[in-house]
């Protein structure tokens, strides 16, 4: 049983995401509409649509951090399909061994956000650990806005490696994204 002020991190799938959906979207908008992130109002409904769609993907997972019934943060992702196209549009060629995909190789962390009042307590790290726990994929991948330097330092501290910059991408805000990869300790199949 959690203490009243304790931050609880819990993971789940589509049902958990459905239970927290509105609050996940609210946290997303509050976090990513603030500095240092690039934001346009269209990102809010686009995120809702993307999350609804991802919740139908096999292997979708979510982790949430809550204090009682108040959501402080979330992280979610899904297995990356071999034909996803994630590895296109980089500012330089990447090694063939890095960009080669096959079913079950990569888990994509699509979004992680923690409200300011939940930061500095290990909340993000605990959510990332819950999200990636027991994954069968070899590695995980995520993207970060280039202006989010503190976020990038945090990911590097957590063992993520910057592999390149994707973009510029037409019609995307921001037009460039820094891509990170982390080994999940699973042997190649």
């Amino acid at each position: 049983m959690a203490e009243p002020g304790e931050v609880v991190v819990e993971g789940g799938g589509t049902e958990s995401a459905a239970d927290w959906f509105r609050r996940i979207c609210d946290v997303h908008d509050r976090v990513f509409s603030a500095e240092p992130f690039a934001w346009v109002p269209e990102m809010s409904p686009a995120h809702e649509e993307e999350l609804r769609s991802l919740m139908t993907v096999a292997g979708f997972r979510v982790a949430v951090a809550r204090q009682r019934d108040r959501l402080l943060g979330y992280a979610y992702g899904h297995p990356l399909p071999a034909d996803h196209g994630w590895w296109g549009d980089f500012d330089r060629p990447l090694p063939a061994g890095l960009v080669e995909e096959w079913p079950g190789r990569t888990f994509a962390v699509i979004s992680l956000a923690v409200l300011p009042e939940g930061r500095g307590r290990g909340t993000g790290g605990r959510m990332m650990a819950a999200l990636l726990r027991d994954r069968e994929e070899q590695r995980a991948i995520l993207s970060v806005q280039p202006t989010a330097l503190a976020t990038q330092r945090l990911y590097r501290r957590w063992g993520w490696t910057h592999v390149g910059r994707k973009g510029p991408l037409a019609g995307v805000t921001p037009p460039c994204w820094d891509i990170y990869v982390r080994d999940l300790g699973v042997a190649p199949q």
Side-chain angles (χ1 to χ4, degrees):
M1 182 102 173
E3 294 295 318
E6 183 181 354
V7 175
V8 176
V9 173
E10 53 195 29
T14 300
E15 287 183 22
S16 292
D19 290 345
W20 291 100
F21 183 85
R22 183 72 262 145
R23 288 180 271 186
I24 289 172
C25 293
D26 291 344
V27 168
H28 172 273
D29 292 356
R30 186 168 160 204
V31 169
F32 293 111
S33 65
E35 292 289 333
F37 301 103
W39 176 266
V40 293
E42 296 81 23
M43 292 171 98
S44 182
H47 171 257
E48 288 185 25
E49 183 178 320
E50 177 186 46
L51 179 53
R52 281 187 212 288
S53 175
L54 291 176
M55 288 166 53
T56 68
V57 172
F60 170 86
R61 297 290 298 162
V62 64
V64 297
R66 62 177 177 80
Q67 199 166 32
R68 295 188 188 175
D69 287 337
R70 181 163 184 256
L71 190 69
L72 293 176
Y74 70 85
Y76 62 80
H78 64 86
L80 191 67
D83 63 351
H84 189 275
W86 190 292
W87 296 110
D89 301 311
F90 276 79
D91 61 352
R92 61 181 165 78
L94 298 175
L98 175 67
V99 302
E100 184 181 1
E101 286 294 344
W102 56 81
R105 182 176 192 200
T106 306
F107 183 82
V109 177
I110 302 300
S111 189
L112 181 146
V114 180
L115 291 174
E117 55 270 29
R119 296 178 191 158
R121 304 192 244 174
T123 303
R126 289 174 56 209
M127 286 190 307
M128 183 68 81
L131 183 67
L132 298 178
R133 186 176 298 118
D134 301 324
R135 295 301 321 163
E136 294 181 9
E137 294 84 5
Q138 282 181 283
R139 65 184 184 180
I141 187 172
L142 58 79
S143 62
V144 183
Q145 293 191 20
T147 55
L149 299 177
T151 303
Q152 292 197 38
R153 283 190 297 273
L154 186 65
Y155 286 141
R156 285 192 299 273
R157 199 170 75 230
W158 291 348
W160 294 82
T161 301
H162 180 256
V163 296
R165 181 163 287 175
K166 188 175 179 74
L169 305 170
V172 176
T173 301
C176 295
W177 293 82
D178 287 330
I179 306 300
Y180 284 77
V181 173
R182 183 177 139 198
D183 180 29
L184 295 180
V186 178
Q189 301 190 7

